[in-house]
Amino acid sequence: MHPLLSLGVFWLLPLALMLEEDSPLDCVPRRSVPYHRDNAHLFREEGVFNYSTMLLREDLDLLVLGAREAVYALDLNDISKKHASVKWEVTQEQKDECRNKGKDPETECLNYIRILHKTEDNRMYVCGTNAFDPECDYMSYTDGELTLEKKAEDGKGKCPFDPFQRYASIMVDNDLYSATSMNFLGSEPILMRSSPVSIRTEFKSSWLNEPNFVSMAQMPESDKSEEGDDDKVYLFFSETAVECDCYNKLVVSRVARVCKGDLGGQRTLQKKWTSFLKTRMDCPVLESQLPYIIQDTYRWCDPQQHWKHCYFFAIFTPQSDTSDLSAVCAYRVSDISRVFEEGKYKSPVPVETSFVKWVMYSGDVPVPRPGACINNEARKAGINQTLDLPDRTLQFIKDRPLMDQAIQPIGRKPLLVRRGATFTRIIVNQVQAADGEKYHVMFIGTEEGTVLKAVNYDGEMFIIEEVQLFQPPESIKILQFSNVTGQLYAGSDYGAAQVPLATCERSLSCMDCVLARDPYCGWDKTDGKCVSVSDSQRELIQSVKAGDASLCPDADPVKPMNQFIWPGGNLKLSCPSPSNLAETSWERDNRLLTPSTRFQLLRDGLLILNASANDAGQYRCVSVERSKTDEYTSTVAEYHVTVDPKGYGRGGQPLFPQAQTDGPSVAGLQAVVALLVVGLVALLAWNFYKGHLPLPWNCGKNRAQPQGTHDKEAQSSTVTHQDAVRPALAENKPLVSGTDNNGRNNNHTGGEAAFNAAGENDAPEVSLQFIDDESEI
Ligand SMILES: *[C@@H]1O[C@H](CO)[C@@H](O)[C@H](O)[C@H]1NC(C)=O
Ligand SMILES: *[C@@H]1O[C@H](CO)[C@@H](O)[C@H](O)[C@H]1NC(C)=O
Ligand SMILES: *[C@@H]1O[C@H](CO)[C@@H](O)[C@H](O)[C@H]1NC(C)=O
Ligand SMILES: *[C@@H]1O[C@H](CO)[C@@H](O)[C@H](O)[C@H]1NC(C)=O
């Protein structure tokens, strides 16, 4: 073989494999919608921050919004309309006390509303951190007024002390289930039910080990249960893995559940859960072997179907900062409940010096099954409530609340992976598309203040759009959905926003409407509009799975616009492409225009610098978008450019419209300013072009590239130039935890070497390899 050829095979083959493997790994939003006041109804009050707790009161047409030291009752149909508000501020005395305990008076010693639930008598239960001394109260909405009853109930164990600590809560049958820390130091995590008999978790690291609580959901599992099962409450969180056979801390994602009817044990586990079982939840993202960390979940149930057909959608972010991927995984509730009902337990086994290994328990399991709810079989044996459970069962579960088998997502892989945006919250809505099929549409809030709208079409990830809701970009702290108004509600530190699920009017052409592949939208040929599928009686053009726009009528020809240049002048011809997945190119007099220092391709147009008379002609901006079925070309803009030899700006179109005024007295000054600005823009553009500065829109396709890369991009339409390079960079970086390990555990040389070797190529799979059986020790 020719030496160069073999070199080529050796170097290019892995690259090609990497590209191929990576192309489905993450995806880019097709459309990016920058911040605009009209994107959403916004609510915010001057001087009030942290709008991060919400309660939908569809019965009252209200969105109840909890912020720092205040609660608002907003119009559910338009949250910019405030109906009522109530302040709940800490007193100076409380603030002083909090400060004396070493907390920051400006950030920590305030009352952050954390819990808002509806009670059975139509009032609301509300808790706040109350200057590191959590307190709860009842609140009612009557005659257009929000009133706090000033009951001053102790909020310990219900609401966190620390406003920066994560927590979860849910109200079921008027009982509050809360997962938070119950002391000032934040070192006593519990899952608690506040009821006449309060039940909580044991303080043991095998139960909860430095957890970060994420969310809770209930499941009506007694419904049509042949076994006479009880309803359950699920808790999602992440924690340091006790079972990890590794030297450094490893965080894993968990789902735990308890039975609603649990009353605790008689002697063992008195006033503690007898039904607390937990297990690991996996969301395997190809790039990393370190487990991803759960951040939020959404319970999705078809109202017409049994609970066994419900799903949990969950978002995950990486555990180390070597990766900037976020992912969504979906789980069947039936898969989770099967593991708890039939799965094996993990059991601690002491080995060597004070070291405990967690292995699968293969001994006898007591009856009734530890952690199970009271069911018909138990009742038959005379056990009517958890208080009747035998000590053997209780002692077993007290020592072994962890299941052996982890929960795998549907399809054993994520539904969506996105690079460069950190997911914070998720809502899922089901919609019936024009093809009669139902699709799950994911709405995902990010740390960058955007909401993504995404679908997984038979394994293909597709992000329809990304909308900037808040300016400045503020992390989305909460997302809620009302099926009564069909609207999404988002909260951030800065304010709250309300957005519709479908914004079809963003597509102005049939091709854009169809290539958007939005199951909510279709093209109405009669009206020539992109409209909502549910609002239309007509047959619409839509092709969500294939993106087949061939049925679209021919677009109206673009009307050419007149533009003037003058020798030595500059001109920008704009061409706003509707899609990040499209490539735009320019033609002059029907010939492809080659970018050069004088003709610069911008993301949204063409910049002609230092024009000459030869630059006159017919300019056309053409956008090419590939879908699964075909390649679609459309003319976005067309310009008729002529030379105006006399004028500096007279009748011509300078780069910046605001510099264009006819007043002769300011013309000279304007010319100078315009020249300066043009120079600056040219410098910037040159830098972008040369790659000295990162392009801010680089999450999408980098279309400011000079020619030559187009062919490569054609082959991997979902991988941008940058995306293809980054995983390689990330993998060469040593793992943070790996280096940490070096310092701390010098005595475990053998294991450490193995761990580091694995860590080198980002695959410390060791960390999750548990010994499968007791017999292996
Ligand atoms: C509350 O909002 C402020 C202002 O945006 C922010 O700096 C702070 O981190 C927020 N506090 C919490 C507990 O989220
Ligand atoms: C359990 O309930 C059944 C029927 O409700 C009753 O006959 C039985 O005595 C109860 N058993 C105990 C141990 O309380
Ligand atoms: C909204 O959802 C709830 C439960 O999730 C359901 O009971 C109710 O019927 C739904 N309402 C509408 C208008 O779909
Ligand atoms: C503009 O172009 C002319 C020739 O067309 C050239 O002489 C001149 O140096 C150019 N100016 C700049 C700033 O590049």
Side-chain angles (χ1 to χ4, degrees), residues 330-348:
Y331 305 84
R332 278 186 202 93
V333 172
S334 51
D335 287 348
I336 299 178
S337 81
R338 189 175 326 114
V339 167
F340 289 132
E341 257 149 50
E342 299 162 15
K344 302 262 191 202
Y345 302 81
K346 266 199 197 304
S347 184

Short mmCIF file of all heavy atoms in Angstrom, two decimals, residues 330-348:
data_model
loop_
_atom_site.label_atom_id
_atom_site.label_comp_id
_atom_site.label_asym_id
_atom_site.label_seq_id
_atom_site.Cartn_x
_atom_site.Cartn_y
_atom_site.Cartn_z
N ALA A 330 -36.63 8.72 28.82
CA ALA A 330 -38.01 8.44 29.23
C ALA A 330 -38.07 7.04 29.83
O ALA A 330 -37.37 6.13 29.38
CB ALA A 330 -38.94 8.54 28.03
N TYR A 331 -38.91 6.88 30.85
CA TYR A 331 -39.02 5.60 31.56
C TYR A 331 -40.47 5.21 31.66
O TYR A 331 -41.34 6.06 31.86
CB TYR A 331 -38.44 5.74 32.98
CG TYR A 331 -37.02 6.25 32.99
CD1 TYR A 331 -36.76 7.61 32.91
CD2 TYR A 331 -35.96 5.36 33.01
CE1 TYR A 331 -35.46 8.08 32.87
CE2 TYR A 331 -34.65 5.82 32.98
CZ TYR A 331 -34.41 7.18 32.91
OH TYR A 331 -33.13 7.64 32.85
N ARG A 332 -40.71 3.91 31.53
CA ARG A 332 -42.07 3.41 31.77
C ARG A 332 -42.26 3.25 33.27
O ARG A 332 -41.41 2.66 33.94
CB ARG A 332 -42.24 2.04 31.12
CG ARG A 332 -42.56 2.13 29.66
CD ARG A 332 -42.88 0.75 29.09
NE ARG A 332 -42.64 0.83 27.66
CZ ARG A 332 -41.49 0.50 27.08
NH1 ARG A 332 -40.51 0.01 27.79
NH2 ARG A 332 -41.35 0.64 25.78
N VAL A 333 -43.39 3.74 33.76
CA VAL A 333 -43.68 3.57 35.18
C VAL A 333 -43.74 2.08 35.51
O VAL A 333 -43.28 1.64 36.57
CB VAL A 333 -45.00 4.27 35.55
CG1 VAL A 333 -45.40 3.93 36.96
CG2 VAL A 333 -44.85 5.77 35.39
N SER A 334 -44.24 1.28 34.56
CA SER A 334 -44.35 -0.16 34.84
C SER A 334 -42.96 -0.80 35.01
O SER A 334 -42.80 -1.71 35.81
CB SER A 334 -45.13 -0.85 33.72
OG SER A 334 -44.60 -0.52 32.47
N ASP A 335 -41.96 -0.29 34.28
CA ASP A 335 -40.60 -0.81 34.44
C ASP A 335 -40.07 -0.50 35.83
O ASP A 335 -39.38 -1.32 36.45
CB ASP A 335 -39.64 -0.20 33.41
CG ASP A 335 -39.88 -0.75 32.01
OD1 ASP A 335 -40.61 -1.76 31.90
OD2 ASP A 335 -39.33 -0.18 31.04
N ILE A 336 -40.37 0.71 36.30
CA ILE A 336 -39.89 1.11 37.63
C ILE A 336 -40.59 0.27 38.70
O ILE A 336 -39.95 -0.29 39.59
CB ILE A 336 -40.15 2.62 37.87
CG1 ILE A 336 -39.41 3.45 36.82
CG2 ILE A 336 -39.72 3.02 39.27
CD1 ILE A 336 -39.62 4.94 36.93
N SER A 337 -41.90 0.15 38.59
CA SER A 337 -42.62 -0.55 39.66
C SER A 337 -42.28 -2.03 39.66
O SER A 337 -42.27 -2.66 40.71
CB SER A 337 -44.13 -0.29 39.55
OG SER A 337 -44.71 -1.12 38.61
N ARG A 338 -41.93 -2.59 38.50
CA ARG A 338 -41.55 -4.00 38.46
C ARG A 338 -40.27 -4.25 39.26
O ARG A 338 -40.17 -5.22 40.00
CB ARG A 338 -41.38 -4.49 37.02
CG ARG A 338 -41.21 -6.00 36.95
CD ARG A 338 -41.16 -6.56 35.54
NE ARG A 338 -42.00 -5.83 34.61
CZ ARG A 338 -41.50 -5.12 33.59
NH1 ARG A 338 -40.22 -5.04 33.39
NH2 ARG A 338 -42.33 -4.48 32.78
N VAL A 339 -39.31 -3.33 39.10
CA VAL A 339 -38.06 -3.50 39.84
C VAL A 339 -38.32 -3.48 41.35
O VAL A 339 -37.79 -4.30 42.11
CB VAL A 339 -37.04 -2.40 39.45
CG1 VAL A 339 -35.87 -2.38 40.43
CG2 VAL A 339 -36.54 -2.64 38.04
N PHE A 340 -39.20 -2.57 41.78
CA PHE A 340 -39.48 -2.51 43.22
C PHE A 340 -40.30 -3.71 43.69
O PHE A 340 -40.13 -4.19 44.81
CB PHE A 340 -40.24 -1.22 43.56
CG PHE A 340 -39.38 0.02 43.46
CD1 PHE A 340 -39.83 1.15 42.79
CD2 PHE A 340 -38.13 0.06 44.05
CE1 PHE A 340 -39.04 2.29 42.71
CE2 PHE A 340 -37.32 1.18 43.97
CZ PHE A 340 -37.79 2.30 43.30
N GLU A 341 -41.18 -4.20 42.84
CA GLU A 341 -42.06 -5.27 43.28
C GLU A 341 -41.44 -6.66 43.19
O GLU A 341 -41.75 -7.53 43.97
CB GLU A 341 -43.34 -5.25 42.44
CG GLU A 341 -44.49 -4.64 43.21
CD GLU A 341 -45.47 -3.92 42.31
OE1 GLU A 341 -45.89 -4.52 41.29
OE2 GLU A 341 -45.79 -2.75 42.61
N GLU A 342 -40.55 -6.84 42.19
CA GLU A 342 -40.03 -8.18 41.98
C GLU A 342 -38.51 -8.27 42.04
O GLU A 342 -37.96 -9.36 42.09
CB GLU A 342 -40.48 -8.72 40.61
CG GLU A 342 -41.98 -8.80 40.47
CD GLU A 342 -42.40 -8.88 39.00
OE1 GLU A 342 -41.53 -9.16 38.15
OE2 GLU A 342 -43.59 -8.65 38.73
N GLY A 343 -37.85 -7.12 41.99
CA GLY A 343 -36.39 -7.13 41.86
C GLY A 343 -35.66 -7.64 43.09
O GLY A 343 -36.23 -7.82 44.16
N LYS A 344 -34.37 -7.88 42.88
CA LYS A 344 -33.50 -8.29 43.98
C LYS A 344 -33.06 -7.05 44.77
O LYS A 344 -33.07 -5.94 44.23
CB LYS A 344 -32.26 -8.98 43.41
CG LYS A 344 -32.58 -10.19 42.56
CD LYS A 344 -32.43 -11.44 43.37
CE LYS A 344 -32.49 -12.68 42.50
NZ LYS A 344 -32.86 -13.85 43.29
N TYR A 345 -32.64 -7.30 46.00
CA TYR A 345 -32.14 -6.21 46.83
C TYR A 345 -30.62 -6.20 46.78
O TYR A 345 -29.99 -7.20 46.46
CB TYR A 345 -32.57 -6.39 48.28
CG TYR A 345 -34.06 -6.47 48.47
CD1 TYR A 345 -34.77 -7.66 48.25
CD2 TYR A 345 -34.79 -5.35 48.88
CE1 TYR A 345 -36.14 -7.73 48.42
CE2 TYR A 345 -36.16 -5.41 49.06
CZ TYR A 345 -36.83 -6.60 48.83
OH TYR A 345 -38.19 -6.67 49.00
N LYS A 346 -30.05 -5.05 47.13
CA LYS A 346 -28.61 -5.00 47.37
C LYS A 346 -28.39 -5.10 48.87
O LYS A 346 -29.20 -4.60 49.65
CB LYS A 346 -28.03 -3.69 46.85
CG LYS A 346 -27.49 -3.78 45.45
CD LYS A 346 -26.54 -2.63 45.19
CE LYS A 346 -26.29 -2.42 43.70
NZ LYS A 346 -25.79 -3.63 43.02
N SER A 347 -27.27 -5.69 49.22
CA SER A 347 -27.01 -5.90 50.63
C SER A 347 -25.58 -5.51 50.97
O SER A 347 -24.67 -5.79 50.19
CB SER A 347 -27.25 -7.38 50.94
OG SER A 347 -27.09 -7.60 52.31
N PRO A 348 -25.38 -4.85 52.11
CA PRO A 348 -24.01 -4.48 52.48
C PRO A 348 -23.27 -5.68 53.06
O PRO A 348 -23.82 -6.41 53.88
CB PRO A 348 -24.22 -3.40 53.54
CG PRO A 348 -25.55 -3.69 54.14
CD PRO A 348 -26.37 -4.40 53.10
#
